[in-house]
Amino acid sequence: MPPSAARYTSTAIALHWLLALALVGIFCVGLYMVGLPFSPAKLKLINWHKWAGITILTLSALRLLWRLTHRPPPLPAQVQAAMPAWQRVAHHGTHGLLYALFFAVPLIGWAYSSAAGFPIVLFGVLPLPDLLPVDKDLAEAIKPWHRAAAFALAALVLLHVAAALKHHFIDRDGLLGRMRFGG
C-alpha cells in the first residue's frame, strides 16, 4: 500500500466487515427460506431473518453515525488521478446507494411484517412497535419491494467487491489494504 494511502479507523473497518458478513448471511437465509414449505423450521428462519434485519439496521445506524463523525480517508492522489471521472462518480454513487439500502431493506421488511400482522419480537424477548397497521393488501404490495431492494443491495455489494478486487489485482494501488484488519 502506498504510504499516502490513509487507512480507515479500526472501528470503521470492524463495522464494514461485520455488516458485510451480516448482509451476505441474511441474503442467503432469505433466499433459502422463501423456498421452504410452511413449517416450524421456516418460521424459525423467518424470525432469525427479522432479528438479523433489525441487527443490520442497528449496525447501519452505528456505521453512519461513525462515518458522519469520523471522515473517511480520501482516495490517494495517485488513485484519483488515474480514475476516469465516471469511476469517481460510480465510487461515490455506489457508496451512497449502499448506505440508503442498508436502511431501506430492513425498514421495508419491518413495514411488510407489520402490515402482514406478524410482529417482530427481537430475539424472542423484546417486542418492537409495528410500523404500519395490519393490512393484508398493503403487505402484499410491500413484499415485492423488500425483495427488489434486497436484490438491488446484493447487486451493489457485488459491484463494490468487484471494484475492490479490480483495484487490488489489476490496478495494484493499495485501496483494498485501507479496509484490511491489522494493516
Side-chain angles (χ1 to χ4, degrees), residues 66-173:
W66 185 262
R67 184 161 183 150
L68 292 173
T69 59
H70 298 80
R71 286 187 50 83
L75 287 172
Q78 70 273 21
V79 173
Q80 282 196 45
M83 286 176 82
W86 72 267
Q87 283 184 6
R88 284 191 300 278
V89 170
H91 165 80
H92 293 294
T94 300
H95 280 95
L97 285 172
L98 282 167
Y99 272 92
L101 288 170
F102 290 162
F103 289 93
V105 175
L107 287 172
I108 295 168
W110 189 351
Y112 163 71
S113 190
S114 297
F118 302 119
I120 298 174
V121 182
L122 194 57
F123 307 118
V125 177
L126 178 64
L128 299 182
D130 288 330
L131 294 184
L132 298 171
V134 175
D135 182 334
K136 300 294 184 187
D137 291 334
L138 180 58
E140 287 306 310
I142 293 172
K143 188 176 184 177
W145 286 98
H146 180 61
R147 185 178 195 275
F151 274 95
L153 179 54
L156 281 174
V157 166
L158 289 174
L159 179 64
H160 180 70
V161 169
L165 293 175
K166 178 232 180 230
H167 279 281
H168 186 72
F169 291 110
I170 296 172
D171 298 343
R172 298 182 186 274
D173 56 18

Side-chain angles (χ1 to χ4, degrees), residues 2-61:
S4 63
R7 293 180 42 78
Y8 284 83
T9 65
S10 296
T11 301
I13 292 169
L15 288 169
H16 174 275
W17 290 110
L18 188 57
L19 190 55
L21 288 172
L23 288 171
V24 169
I26 197 171
F27 187 76
C28 291
V29 168
L31 284 177
Y32 175 71
M33 74 182 192
V34 296
L36 293 177
F38 186 77
S39 66
K42 182 172 183 167
L43 289 175
K44 184 183 282 190
L45 285 176
I46 289 170
N47 280 320
W48 287 351
H49 185 78
K50 290 179 187 183
W51 302 342
I54 297 302
T55 302
I56 286 170
L57 185 60
T58 304
L59 282 173
S60 298

